[in-house]
Every structure is written in structure tokens, then in C-alpha cells.
């Protein structure tokens, strides 16, 4: 994996896709200055002589009015980047049969164009669409082949949405009519994706693509030296955690807890290169492996959770579970993640699915039969865009707990995982949600189209409220292991809303967002269980963090602490970020001497293996 080449590709791909999105929006009569009125023709709309599905167009209009033109361009671009690179990744690893991205021999066109009729997803299409595809192939012009390809990709995305809805949406959303054009030209984005992803793409590729895709935007935001808006927080704070640091954190938190509490064989730790030997608490409360929950509250593209999957797989195997049951249990029961950035959340969920598919070859076919299957990797949603219709229904039916959740999650992306919420019983929330749905049963249809006002989609509103309930439960739960590389952002960069919230709720750590996460992660962790983090080192020394240090000493027992200093992150040169990684247990420290292994790492030439063996 050539990181330099990968970075250039990701930056150029973002620029190209954003330009393609602007072109598509312009064709649809949508610019930064407003929206041209479209003519409704039954279930379609007519724009400049062309017909488009009304449902998809309505979705586009709603999205435009919710987030604005520039964010719509950004979001549409990364949506298609994620999908195209995800298809390429699965092809390279032979997880799907169709060549949606890669070509056959010397031809520039993707292989699917030559033999689309051989595959299951085509055979499941209705007869009219099958005929349309055949007609486009027979016409054999540049425009007809491009149209054919766009339909094939969209239909494959529809099929994959059954098992990966977080990245491949069902038809009827705004991205359907924003498919990027020009992908079949020489030296197109598609050709460059093939060159960069190649064969047998490693799973780490997903995280690097995410970081590099945002790198230019990150530089632009820093250059402005302004307060960081909630839309830009992910770009300026995401940093791909080095593999060996991830392993150190997971092995000494999740790994140690499992050795003490789940009954796995102690010999398993011999496979953990970065596990630090210490006395195990034989009196720890015993717990079933399927009940161990690990949370990354700032999961980014999922690097920590993916390695946790590897460790858990070993543990289940050691306890005699079958491969199928192991993989499904890990996805359903063990791994939890929270993220404010939709793009990162999509990639984290995708990375976990790819890790699961690596372990269990029949995963996709099994999940197609699991109608209720959902990952626990959540993108924090806001209640801001709920329609007044739904809000009034909630109030009119005295659904007070739902009303509180709607209020709690206003501007939720400003705060993400640091939100402090009152616990509400899951059964109560589900009961109120069912009452809300019943009260809407007499409504005629689910989609209300109004040419002059923002279109209301009751189904989308109900899905959002359901998501708010799920994330409320995740944010008020306690976990056996909490492991993360939190965002680093000084108080000077806080938006006004974030600044006010932090000063009210995190007085001891308000100087930097990473320090706020130290407090929050300790709250997420169950008593006698483990937290592991890599953060800036400043909390250990600066007077502004004195109360935070006292808080850590009073509430936790630090088991190991590695003072990494500068240059732990290979992508950051010089002395820009000086860090420390540690593992703590949530309980009062013993007076007879807490076990801490402290390693000081300030030698830029020292390899990580040498550092860890010092």
C-alpha cells in the first residue's frame, strides 16, 4: 500500500466528485442560489425535458433545505466515493462476483457491462427494466453504455442495501439521481480506483482513504483560524491511529478483562504482542463472552473496533463457538461505536462487515435472511429536522419521554458522545414509539408532496425517531471496555454552543476536547472494568488539568501508561502532537501500590517494537 499515491488519489477524487456533483445539481435546477420549480408528472418530475423519480427528487430537495448547497455537494461526493471504493474493495477481495469496478483484460469498461445478465441481482429485476438494459446494450453508444452502467451500479447498491444499508441505500433517496458521470472515460476516477485498490486490498486501506480524503479540507479549515463548526469538526480532528497503539490499547483493556472474567484460556495472551503481563484479578465478576461490550465513542473509520473483532474471534473460538455463531454474536452483541461524521460512520460499519466476511465466507447470504440485523455502530443523529407534523403528534399524544429525547438531541452533532443524558427505560421508549406510529395509521400514505413547501416524509421522520431512541440507549449504557483515540481540539476552536455545553458539564476538562473525553469515557465504563485511550500528554502536566488529574486518581487505577511524546503518529511531522496512551480500571486505587508500567518515548528514531520492549 503506497500511502503517498493513495493520498494524492483521495484528494483528487474528492475534487473531481464534488465538481461532478455541482454539474449534476445544476442539470437538476439546483444551485447555491435556490431551486427551479420542477413539473410533476405522476410519479416523476420533469426538469429540462428529462424525467426523474419524484421520490428521489423530493429527497434531494429536503436534503438541500436541511443542510444547504455546499454541504449537499460535499455529502453527495463522499457518498459515491464510499460506494465506489467499497465495491472495489469487495471485488479485490472476491467478496462479490460481479466486476462493478474492475475490467476484463484490456477493455476500459467494467466487466459487468459484458455479462450483467449472468448475475442474480439482474435476474431479480422486473421484466421492463431488464428489457431497458438490453436495449441500452444493443444501442451501444457512449451515452447508452454510461446509462446502462449507472443503472447496474444503482441496482447492485439496492441489492447490497439489504445487508449494508449504512453505505448502500435503497432506491428513493437523493443520491439516486446524482450518479457521477464520465466514469467510463479513459483515466477516469474508476480507472484510478482500480490502480489504487488493486488486488487483495488490506482492511487498513479503508481508514487511510478516509483520512487522506479529508486532508486538504483539514488544511483549508486550519488556515482560516476560525471557530470550528460541527460540520468541520471531523475533518480537523480525525487521525488514523497507528496499528501497534491500537493493539496495545485493546489487548490491555478488552484482553485483560476477558482473561479475568470470561473463562478463556490464559495461553491466548501469548498471541498478543503488546499485552503487558500483570497480576490477574481472579475474584472478578464472571461474565459470558457474548455479554462483553466494548465501546469506541469516537470510532472514526473503525480501526479500534476492527482489531477488537480479531481478539474477540480468538476468544469465542477458544470457548468452542462455531465460526458462524461467533461472527454474528460479535457483530450483534460485542462491538459498539459512536461517531458524529456520517462518512466515517459508514466506513467504520463497512470495515467491520469486511472483517466479518474475512472470517466467515457465507456472511452475506446469512445476513440476507436476518431481517432485524443491525450493527451497533451509530452515527449521532440530530432532531433538528423533524417535521412540525411529527413534533405536534408527539405533544398531542403526551408522549413525554419521546418529547424529551427530541429536545435532548437538538444540535446533537455539536456534542456527539459527550452528551450527558438521563436514563429512560428502553421499554417505555418503545411503547411510546409504537403509540406514535398508531396515531399516524389513519394518515393517507407516507409521502406528502408540496411544490411550495419543504416536502414531508413521515416514514423518514419515524426512522429518525427510532434512531434517536437507539442512540439514547447507547449513550446511557455502561460498557466493559471503552477504548478510543478522541478528537484533539483546544477550547479556542470550540463553537459557541460546544463551549457553553462543555463549561457547564465538564468544568475540570474544558480546556480541550480530548480531556472532556477522558471524563466521559470514565462515565461510560462499568465499575471494575477498563478504559484505554491515547490523548495529548498535556493533562499530566498543565495546571489547568489539576482537577482532572485528581479525578483520575480518585476514580480509577492506572494499570499501564506509555508516554509516547512526539512523532507517535507517522503522518504528523515534527513536535506537533505529543501523546500518551494508557489503560485504567474504574475503581478506587489500592494504598499498597498501584501497578503502573511507565515508558518514556521521546526518541524519534526508536521503532515501536524497540519502544515496547524497553
Amino acid at each position: 500500500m503506497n500511502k503517498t499515491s493513495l493520498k494524492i488519489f483521495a484528494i483528487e477524487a474528492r475534487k473531481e466528485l464534488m465538481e461532478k456533483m455541482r454539474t449534476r445539481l445544476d442539470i437538476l435546477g439546483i444551485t447555491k442560489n435556490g431551486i427551479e420549480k420542477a413539473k410533476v408528472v405522476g410519479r416523476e418530475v420533469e426538469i429540462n425535458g428529462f424525467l426523474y423519480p419524484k421520490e428521489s427528487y423530493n429527497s434531494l430537495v429536503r436534503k438541500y433545505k436541511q443542510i444547504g448547497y455546499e454541504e449537499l455537494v460535499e455529502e453527495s461526493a463522499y457518498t459515491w466515493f464510499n460506494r465506489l471504493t467499497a465495491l472495489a474493495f469487495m471485488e479485490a477481495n472476491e467478496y462479490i462476483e460481479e466486476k462493478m469496478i474492475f475490467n476484463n483484460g484490456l477493455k476500459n469498461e467494467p466487466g459487468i457491462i459484458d455479462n450483467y445478465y449472468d448475475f442474480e441481482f439482474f435476474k431479480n429485476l422486473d421484466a421492463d427494466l431488464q428489457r431497458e438494459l438490453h436495449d441500452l446494450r444493443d444501442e451501444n453508444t457512449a451515452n447508452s453504455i454510461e446509462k446502462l452502467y449507472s443503472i447496474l451500479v444503482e441496482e447492485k447498491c439496492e441489492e447490497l442495501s439489504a445487508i449494508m444499508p449504512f453505505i448502500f441505500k435503497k432506491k428513493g433517496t437523493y443520491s439516486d439521481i446524482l450518479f457521477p458521470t464520465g466514469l467510463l472515460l479513459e483515466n477516469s476516477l474508476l480507472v484510478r480506483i482500480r490502480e489504487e485498490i488493486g488486488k487483495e486490498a488490506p482492511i487498513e486501506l479503508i481508514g487511510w482513504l478516509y483520512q487522506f480524503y479529508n486532508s486538504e479540507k483539514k488544511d483549508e479549515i486550519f488556515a482560516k483560524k476560525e471557530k470550528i463548526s460541527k460540520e468541520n469538526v471531523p475533518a480537523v480532528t480525525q487521525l488514523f491511529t497507528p496499528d501497534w497503539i491500537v493493539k496495545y490499547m485493546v489487548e490491555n483493556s478488552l484482553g485483560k478483562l476477558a482473561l479475568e472474567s470470561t473463562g478463556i484460556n490464559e495461553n491466548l495472551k501469548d498471541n498478543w504482542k503488546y499485552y503487558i503481563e500483570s497480576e490477574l484479578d481472579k475474584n472478578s465478576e464472571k461474565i459470558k463472552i457474548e455479554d462483553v461490550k466494548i465501546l469506541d465513542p469516537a470510532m472514526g473509520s473503525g480501526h479500534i473496533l476492527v482489531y477488537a473483532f480479531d481478539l474477540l474471534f480468538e476468544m469465542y473460538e477458544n470457548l468452542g463457538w462455531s465460526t458462524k455463531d461467533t461472527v454474528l454474536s460479535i457483530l450483534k452483541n460485542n462491538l459498539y461505536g459512536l461517531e458524529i461524521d456520517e462518512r466515517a460512520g459508514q466506513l467504520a460499519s463497512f470495515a467491520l462487515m469486511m472483517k466479518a466476511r474475512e472470517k466467515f465466507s457465507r456472511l452475506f447470504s446469512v445476513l440476507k435472511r436476518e431481517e432485524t440485523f443491525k450493527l451497533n455502530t451509530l452515527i449521532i443523529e440530530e432532531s433538528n429536522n423533524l417535521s412540525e407534523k411529527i413534533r405536534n403528534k408527539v405533544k398531542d399524544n403526551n408522549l413525554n419521554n419521546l418529547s424529551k429525547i427530541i429536545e435532548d438531541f437538538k444540535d446533537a452533532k455539536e456534542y456527539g458522545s459527550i452528551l450527558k443524558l438521563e436514563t429512560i427505560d428502553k421499554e417505555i421508549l418503545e411503547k411510546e414509539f409504537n403509540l406514535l406510529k398508531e396515531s399516524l395509521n389513519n394518515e393517507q400514505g407516507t409521502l406528502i408532496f408540496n411544490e411550495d413547501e419543504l416536502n414531508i416524509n413521515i416514514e423518514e421522520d419515524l426512522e429518525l425517531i427510532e434512531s434517536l431512541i437507539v442512540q439514547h440507549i447507547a449513550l446511557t449504557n455502561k460498557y466493559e471496555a471503552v477504548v478510543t483515540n478522541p478528537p484533539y481540539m483546544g477550547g479556542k476552536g470550540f463553537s459557541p454552543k460546544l463551549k457553553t455545553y462543555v463549561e457547564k458539564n465538564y468544568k475540570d476538562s474544558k480546556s480541550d476536547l480530548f480531556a472532556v473525553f477522558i471524563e466521559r469515557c470514565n462515565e461510560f465504563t462499568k465499575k471494575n472494568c477498563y478504559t484505554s485511550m491515547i490523548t495529548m500528554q498535556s493533562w499530566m502536566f498543565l495546571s489547568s488539568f489539576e482537577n482532572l488529574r485528581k479525578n483520575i486518581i480518585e476514580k480509577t487505577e492506572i494499570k499501564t501508561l506509555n508516554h509516547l511524546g512526539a512523532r507517535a503518529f507517522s503522518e504528523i511531522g515534527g513536535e506537533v502532537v505529543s501523546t500518551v496512551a494508557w489503560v485504567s480500571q474504574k475503581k478506587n486505587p489500592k494504598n499498597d501500590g498501584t501497578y503502573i508500567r511507565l515508558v518514556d518515548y521521546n526518541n524519534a528514531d526508536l521503532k515501536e517494537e524497540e519502544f515496547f520492549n524497553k
Side-chain angles (χ1 to χ4, degrees), residues 77-216:
Y78 74 60
T79 293
W80 279 111
F81 181 80
N82 281 3
R83 290 179 185 176
L84 294 172
T85 52
L87 288 169
F89 183 93
M90 288 189 287
E91 286 179 45
N93 287 285
E94 299 182 353
Y95 296 163
I96 57 175
E97 294 179 329
E98 305 93 339
K99 289 188 176 181
M100 307 301 301
I101 305 297
F102 289 89
N103 55 347
N104 289 325
L106 298 176
K107 294 184 71 173
N108 185 51
E109 298 170 352
I112 189 65
I113 291 173
D114 286 334
N115 58 347
Y116 61 86
Y117 40 79
D118 289 334
F119 295 102
E120 182 182 355
F121 83 95
F122 170 79
K123 295 173 183 176
N124 290 333
L125 302 179
D126 65 65
D128 288 341
L129 186 52
Q130 287 186 7
R131 278 193 295 272
E132 180 183 354
L133 290 170
H134 287 323
D135 290 343
L136 289 167
R137 189 71 184 92
D138 292 341
E139 187 179 334
N140 200 30
T141 64
N143 286 339
S144 70
I145 297 300
E146 185 168 285
K147 176 67 173 174
L148 169 70
Y149 180 62
S150 69
I151 294 173
L152 290 172
V153 172
E154 288 164 10
E155 293 300 332
K156 184 61 183 177
C157 289
E158 171 84 356
E159 182 194 51
L160 290 168
S161 70
I163 55 176
M164 288 181 272
F166 43 82
I167 195 167
F168 300 106
K169 303 289 187 184
K170 284 187 173 293
K171 286 187 291 186
T173 63
Y174 72 93
S175 59
D176 296 350
I177 51 179
L178 294 177
F179 186 83
T181 58
L183 293 181
L184 303 183
L185 299 174
E186 290 185 17
N187 199 34
S188 70
L189 174 64
L190 218 57
V191 174
R192 299 200 298 279
I193 288 175
R194 293 172 198 155
E195 293 170 351
E196 292 301 329
I197 293 184
K199 300 295 181 184
E200 299 180 5
I203 204 162
E204 292 80 11
L205 179 85
I206 297 168
W208 286 116
L209 274 176
Y210 174 73
Q211 180 166 315
F212 292 149
Y213 184 94
N214 280 335
S215 58
E216 191 171 63

Side-chain angles (χ1 to χ4, degrees), residues 370-510:
E370 294 258 343
E371 293 183 5
T372 60
F373 173 80
K374 285 186 178 180
L375 292 175
N376 299 305
T377 41
L378 307 179
I379 300 160
I380 298 290
E381 303 270 15
E382 296 183 322
S383 59
N384 301 34
N385 293 316
L386 278 173
S387 66
E388 285 303 313
K389 184 181 183 69
I390 284 288
R391 293 175 187 271
N392 291 336
K393 280 288 182 183
V394 170
K395 291 177 182 177
D396 293 344
N397 287 278
N398 296 315
L399 305 177
N400 297 327
N401 291 291
L402 281 189
S403 184
K404 177 166 176 51
I405 282 182
I406 290 170
E407 180 60 31
D408 284 344
F409 287 120
K410 182 181 179 182
D411 298 320
K413 286 187 181 293
E414 293 275 2
Y415 320 114
S417 301
I418 67 170
L419 273 169
K420 293 189 176 186
L421 306 170
E422 293 179 19
T423 302
I424 303 173
D425 188 85
K426 178 182 177 181
E427 291 184 2
I428 293 174
L429 292 174
E430 290 176 346
K431 181 179 179 180
E432 288 195 5
F433 182 64
N434 289 329
L435 288 171
L436 175 63
K437 288 194 292 185
E438 288 174 15
S439 73
L440 293 164
N441 278 346
N442 295 327
E443 298 289 340
Q444 187 65 33
T446 59
L447 186 66
I448 301 172
F449 182 74
N450 186 313
E451 293 183 56
D452 300 315
E453 300 293 336
L454 175 61
N455 307 309
I456 299 171
N457 189 315
I458 299 301
E459 192 173 303
E460 282 185 4
D461 279 354
L462 287 173
E463 287 176 0
L464 175 55
I465 290 179
E466 196 168 17
S467 295
L468 298 183
I469 292 171
V470 172
Q471 74 186 31
H472 178 275
I473 294 168
L475 283 162
T476 53
N477 266 351
K478 301 289 185 181
Y479 300 85
E480 279 71 28
V482 180
V483 186
T484 195
N485 178 6
Y488 307 164
M489 185 169 70
K492 291 181 180 179
F494 290 1
S495 69
K497 288 179 181 177
L498 179 59
K499 181 179 175 63
T500 299
Y501 189 84
V502 166
E503 287 181 346
K504 178 182 178 181
N505 294 283
Y506 296 94
K507 293 181 173 61
D508 294 340
S509 55
K510 61 185 179 181

Side-chain angles (χ1 to χ4, degrees), residues 156-417:
K156 184 61 183 177
C157 289
E158 171 84 356
E159 182 194 51
L160 290 168
S161 70
I163 55 176
M164 288 181 272
F166 43 82
I167 195 167
F168 300 106
K169 303 289 187 184
K170 284 187 173 293
K171 286 187 291 186
T173 63
Y174 72 93
S175 59
D176 296 350
I177 51 179
L178 294 177
F179 186 83
T181 58
L183 293 181
L184 303 183
L185 299 174
E186 290 185 17
N187 199 34
S188 70
L189 174 64
L190 218 57
V191 174
R192 299 200 298 279
I193 288 175
R194 293 172 198 155
E195 293 170 351
E196 292 301 329
I197 293 184
K199 300 295 181 184
E200 299 180 5
I203 204 162
E204 292 80 11
L205 179 85
I206 297 168
W208 286 116
L209 274 176
Y210 174 73
Q211 180 166 315
F212 292 149
Y213 184 94
N214 280 335
S215 58
E216 191 171 63
K217 181 180 180 181
K218 180 177 183 177
D219 293 340
E220 291 170 358
I221 296 167
F222 276 135
K224 292 179 181 178
K225 297 181 179 179
E226 298 173 350
K227 301 292 184 184
I228 310 299
S229 67
K230 64 183 178 182
E231 294 82 8
N232 291 329
V233 167
V236 301
T237 59
Q238 288 286 357
L239 196 60
F240 191 71
T241 316
D243 194 53
W244 74 278
I245 295 176
V246 168
K247 290 179 178 180
Y248 156 74
M249 293 195 295
V250 175
E251 289 171 9
N252 290 283
S253 55
L254 171 64
K256 185 173 176 61
L257 178 131
L259 288 169
E260 293 176 331
S261 306
T262 65
I264 61 171
N265 193 307
E266 284 191 31
N267 290 337
L268 270 185
K269 70 179 186 293
D270 296 339
N271 299 324
W272 305 342
K273 183 176 179 181
Y274 300 101
Y275 178 74
I276 297 176
E277 290 284 356
S278 63
E279 183 180 351
L280 297 175
D281 185 355
K282 299 297 185 180
N283 297 318
S284 291
E285 182 180 348
K286 303 309 172 189
I287 184 171
K288 294 179 180 178
I289 189 67
E290 63 268 34
D291 292 331
V292 174
K293 292 179 173 59
I294 176 170
L295 170 71
D296 184 346
M299 66 180 172
S301 54
H303 194 185
I304 289 170
L305 294 176
V306 166
Y307 185 63
F309 190 111
D310 278 330
L311 239 62
L312 286 162
F313 189 85
E314 288 181 22
M315 296 170 187
Y316 275 89
E317 210 171 34
N318 182 258
L319 293 170
W321 286 57
S322 70
T323 298
K324 174 187 172 182
D325 290 342
T326 291
V327 167
L328 293 179
S329 183
I330 292 172
L331 293 178
K332 289 178 180 178
N333 301 318
N334 298 122
L335 300 177
Y336 291 75
L338 296 166
E339 176 57 53
I340 61 171
D341 181 19
E342 182 174 10
R343 178 166 179 260
Q346 289 177 359
L347 293 176
S349 298
F350 179 71
L352 278 182
M353 288 291 283
M354 294 305 99
K355 174 57 69 172
R357 172 58 181 80
E358 175 189 306
K359 301 291 188 184
F360 178 46
S361 62
R362 294 190 295 110
L363 177 69
F364 292 176
S365 59
V366 169
L367 290 184
K368 283 180 181 178
R369 302 192 295 270
E370 294 258 343
E371 293 183 5
T372 60
F373 173 80
K374 285 186 178 180
L375 292 175
N376 299 305
T377 41
L378 307 179
I379 300 160
I380 298 290
E381 303 270 15
E382 296 183 322
S383 59
N384 301 34
N385 293 316
L386 278 173
S387 66
E388 285 303 313
K389 184 181 183 69
I390 284 288
R391 293 175 187 271
N392 291 336
K393 280 288 182 183
V394 170
K395 291 177 182 177
D396 293 344
N397 287 278
N398 296 315
L399 305 177
N400 297 327
N401 291 291
L402 281 189
S403 184
K404 177 166 176 51
I405 282 182
I406 290 170
E407 180 60 31
D408 284 344
F409 287 120
K410 182 181 179 182
D411 298 320
K413 286 187 181 293
E414 293 275 2
Y415 320 114
S417 301

